[in-house]
């Protein structure tokens, strides 16, 4: 575990744990919660890159940011990572945002390797199951908390050639719905966020959109058709702030340029 200490832990707030922090959406979500005064734990497989993100966010937001390695396909890795997270204090927010890369030129179904299929299921849904189990007991004890799962257009529609992605994302959506029905009456807000489009770079960065977040063969977009990760992160923050009398259980986000075919 790497610690980036640019301030003291805020005793009035819990920890925001963001699982699956890459250079786009995960980093933006972590930065948003740090900006709002939370101590943030960021988790991903590449600890070297993660530590650079922690340095950057801690410096910019004058916040405490902890970089912790995790492999969401490995239950032991999840448990060890969350031993570190839970040692920081009460995890008030869990954002589950890992992504298992898939080819944009998929093989025929009969050519898909079973280990690739199982890996995608493990990252998309089994890892989410393990992470949620780590934080829910204390959330229930305190009667509050937020869990946000990142889905994509493949969470809703089967797509030819992408069975491993779609099956994992379908399962993640089902997990979110089951947990919402069980735990929202106990004070824990659980929501599924469907990213229906491509995550680009924050406005003004000049970098092209990266085709790494969602599969959307059923849409076409004008311009580059990408979503600004900072704007998407703002939605995650709004979900956390929602009054419990008006909780959202699922929301879909897409750029205004999108048109359906």
């Amino acid at each position: 575990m790497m610690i980036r200490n640019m301030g003291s832990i805020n005793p009035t707030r819990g920890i925001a744990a963001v699982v699956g922090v890459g250079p786009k959406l995960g980093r933006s979500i972590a930065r948003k919660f740090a900006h709002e005064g939370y101590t943030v734990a960021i988790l991903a497989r590449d600890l070297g890159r993660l530590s650079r993100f922690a340095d950057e966010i801690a410096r910019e937001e004058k916040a405490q940011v902890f970089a912790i390695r995790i492999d969401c396909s490995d239950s032991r890795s999840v448990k060890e990572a969350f031993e570190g997270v839970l040692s920081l204090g009460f995890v008030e927010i869990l954002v589950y945002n890992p992504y298992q890369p898939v080819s944009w030129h998929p093989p025929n179904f009969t050519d898909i390797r079973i280990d690739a299929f199982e890996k995608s299921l493990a990252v998309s849904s089994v890892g989410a199951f393990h992470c949620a189990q780590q934080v829910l007991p204390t959330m229930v004890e305190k009667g509050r908390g937020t869990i946000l799962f990142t889905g994509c257009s493949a969470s809703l529609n089967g797509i030819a050639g992408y069975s491993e992605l779609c099956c994992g994302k379908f399962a993640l959506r089902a997990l979110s719905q089951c947990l919402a029905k069980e735990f929202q009456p106990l004070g824990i807000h659980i929501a599924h966020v469907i990213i229906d489009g491509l995550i680009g770079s924050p406005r003004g960065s000049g970098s092209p959109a990266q085709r790494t977040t969602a599969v959307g063969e059923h849409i076409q977009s004008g311009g580059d058709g990408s979503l600004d990760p900072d704007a998407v992160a703002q939605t995650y923050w709004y979900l956390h702030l929602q009054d419990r009398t008006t909780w959202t259980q699922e929301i879909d986000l897409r750029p205004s340029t999108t048109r359906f075919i």
Side-chain angles (χ1 to χ4, degrees), residues 71-85:
D71 180 351
C72 292
S73 67
D74 182 345
S75 60
R76 177 178 295 181
S77 176
V78 172
K79 184 176 181 180
E80 291 175 352
F82 271 87
E83 286 176 355
V85 175

Side-chain angles (χ1 to χ4, degrees), residues 106-184:
N108 294 324
F109 174 75
T110 52
D111 295 328
I112 296 175
R113 292 167 45 188
I114 186 62
D115 60 334
F117 185 84
E118 291 176 340
K119 178 85 168 187
S120 186
L121 286 176
V123 171
S124 292
S125 56
V126 179
F129 174 91
H130 286 307
C131 290
Q133 277 199 333
Q134 301 300 309
V135 302
L136 274 167
T138 308
M139 288 184 176
V140 170
E141 178 184 328
K142 292 183 177 292
R144 63 187 176 95
T146 302
I147 299 178
L148 304 174
F149 298 107
T150 299
C152 64
S153 52
S155 305
L156 302 176
N157 300 287
I159 303 170
Y162 293 97
S163 58
E164 69 271 38
L165 174 67
C166 294
C167 289
K169 290 298 186 180
F170 267 56
L172 178 65
R173 185 180 186 225
L175 176 66
S176 178
Q177 291 180 2
C178 291
L179 295 182
K181 287 181 170 62
E182 182 174 354
F183 291 101
Q184 286 195 166

Side-chain angles (χ1 to χ4, degrees), residues 4 9 11 18 21 28 85 93 107 124 143 146 172 178 181-182 216 228 231 237 248:
R4 296 296 177 258
I9 291 179
V18 184
V21 173
S28 290
V85 175
I93 303 116
S124 292
T146 302
L172 178 65
C178 291
K181 287 181 170 62
E182 182 174 354
D228 180 347
W237 174 247
T248 296

Side-chain angles (χ1 to χ4, degrees), residues 143-146 184 187-191 235-249:
R144 63 187 176 95
T146 302
Q184 286 195 166
I188 296 99
H189 185 192
I190 297 169
T235 298
Y236 283 68
W237 174 247
Y238 286 150
L239 287 169
H240 174 57
L241 290 183
Q242 281 184 323
D243 186 89
R244 65 179 59 196
T245 63
T246 56
W247 274 347
T248 296
Q249 293 188 359

